[in-house]
Amino acid sequence: MRKSHPVRRAVLAGAATVSGIVLLLSLKPASDPGSAQAAGGQLPPAAAGQAPQGGVNGAVTGDAAQTQYGAVQVRLTMSGGKITQAEAVQAPKGGRSDQITASSVPRLNQAAVAAQSADIDAVSGATYTSAGYKKSLQSALDKAKASAGGAQGSGNAQTLTGDVAQTQYGPVQVRITVAGGKITKAEAVQAPKGGRSDQITSSSVPRLNQAAVAAGSAEIDAVSGATYTSAGYKKSLQSALDKAPAGGGSSQAAGSGGGSSQGAGSGAGQAQTQTLTGSVAQTQYGPVQVRITVAGGKITKAEAVQAPKGGRSDQITSSSVPRLNQAAVAAGNAQIDAVSGATYTSAGYKQSLQSALDQAGG
């Protein structure tokens, strides 16, 4: 009997191994769990995007957030209620700010899209820009929520952030949640801080929050010992109420405007009353901000909630503002003449008045 050659045995063993591998491969299931993704098929439910149905589509611009080095303002592009793009339409500039802005803003934009919220980390070395970015981003998200809530019906909760009210001890800004035409939550996203202000803020703001919910309007009492904080709170709260859609929070805004009534002896088809607060217009002698009441497409009341003060400005304001208020009601628009001797105040008044009219779509 012949002996098997060692080389022949090795060749035969290798051939048997290859044949076995081929057989195993031929028994592989036809559908690979990952093949649907590779071929562009539908993702498994756990990985699919969670975009809400009927979400906001289009661009939403947040309020400008003032920082120590300049304003920051964020614009979002949204699709199906999700952030698809974020950009800063305003950011600090000049000197070293140019370098910091160029480095930090793209990272903040990416973080906003990734987080889908304003809960993003500050960029190292850009603390103020990051804080301003997050604040404006939150404002844009609040507007998107309000827009979605208005489209779906007044029964849905809306989050509305008021304008920043500057006080002698620092800015105050209020955010409210409105559901079914009522304030269900109020909070101060900005309040005076540092030194004794910390104590006053911690004591007064919770009481102001409770008062806002209880009153359902900005007609709340000032907290004793916190006069400036209370005034700023009420101003920002009124601004937030003014942003509520006419079908939802307008009854609150109108009630806080002082004396306007809805439906009392009026026809069922009559237009509702709206109270609208314009943006703050900065002038050489101080800020000017106008609030108007609109009914039936006409201005029925105009008032300056901010105007230059101190020194000779007190005299000019007391003389010019009542005349500007009258002119606004008479004209029904911002095309009013400047008051002689009050050029800057008149210009700021007209600018803020136009901003209020823009909110009414007029």
Side-chain angles (χ1 to χ4, degrees):
M1 185 173 68
R2 293 187 305 173
K3 292 183 179 179
S4 292
H5 195 280
V7 174
R8 179 182 177 83
R9 286 202 306 271
V11 171
L12 289 173
T17 302
V18 171
S19 299
I21 293 172
V22 171
L23 283 170
L24 287 172
L25 289 174
S26 67
L27 293 174
K28 181 183 177 183
S31 60
D32 187 353
S35 62
Q37 292 184 36
Q42 189 175 4
L43 291 171
Q50 302 297 316
Q53 297 298 317
V56 175
N57 294 291
V60 183
T61 304
D63 295 332
Q66 299 297 332
T67 76
Q68 187 172 330
Y69 296 99
V72 182
Q73 189 172 29
V74 179
R75 179 185 298 141
L76 303 177
T77 301
M78 306 192 74
S79 177
K82 295 190 111 182
I83 303 171
T84 58
Q85 184 182 358
E87 56 183 323
V89 292
Q90 286 192 72
K93 58 186 177 180
R96 189 154 179 273
S97 291
D98 289 337
Q99 181 183 349
I100 294 172
T101 291
S103 168
S104 63
V105 166
R107 294 164 65 182
L108 291 166
N109 291 338
Q110 291 176 351
V113 175
Q116 294 293 308
S117 74
D119 290 325
I120 56 177
D121 292 332
V123 173
S124 177
T127 306
Y128 291 101
T129 297
S130 298
Y133 186 100
K134 292 169 69 175
K135 189 178 297 178
S136 184
L137 171 57
Q138 182 63 60
S139 167
L141 290 168
D142 290 343
K143 291 180 181 181
K145 288 179 183 177
S147 176
Q152 294 172 10
S154 60
N156 290 343
Q158 304 166 51
T159 303
L160 304 163
T161 304
D163 296 333
V164 176
Q166 298 295 337
T167 77
Q168 187 172 328
Y169 295 100
V172 180
Q173 189 175 29
V174 178
R175 180 185 301 145
I176 58 174
T177 302
V178 178
K182 294 183 178 181
I183 302 175
T184 58
K185 181 181 179 183
E187 58 183 323
V189 292
Q190 286 193 71
K193 56 185 177 180
R196 190 155 179 273
S197 291
D198 290 337
Q199 181 182 348
I200 294 172
T201 291
S202 63
S203 168
S204 63
V205 166
R207 294 164 65 183
L208 291 166
N209 291 338
Q210 291 176 350
V213 174
S217 73
E219 294 300 319
I220 57 178
D221 292 332
V223 173
S224 177
T227 307
Y228 291 101
T229 298
S230 298
Y233 187 101
K234 292 169 67 176
K235 188 178 296 180
S236 184
L237 171 58
Q238 182 62 58
S239 167
L241 288 167
D242 292 343
K243 294 177 182 179
S250 61
S251 60
Q252 295 175 18
S256 62
S260 59
S261 60
Q262 298 182 29
S266 61
Q270 192 167 353
Q272 290 184 329
T273 299
Q274 291 179 279
T275 303
L276 305 162
T277 304
S279 302
V280 177
Q282 298 294 338
T283 76
Q284 187 172 329
Y285 296 99
V288 181
Q289 188 174 30
V290 178
R291 179 186 300 145
I292 58 174
T293 302
V294 178
K298 292 184 178 181
I299 302 174
T300 58
K301 182 181 177 183
E303 57 183 324
V305 292
Q306 287 193 70
K309 57 186 177 181
R312 190 155 179 273
S313 291
D314 290 337
Q315 181 183 349
I316 294 172
T317 291
S318 63
S319 168
S320 62
V321 166
R323 295 163 64 182
L324 291 166
N325 291 338
Q326 291 175 351
V329 174
N333 58 42
Q335 300 304 314
I336 57 178
D337 293 331
V339 173
S340 177
T343 307
Y344 291 102
T345 298
S346 299
Y349 187 101
K350 292 167 68 175
Q351 185 175 322
S352 184
L353 172 59
Q354 184 61 60
S355 167
L357 287 167
D358 290 343
Q359 293 176 38

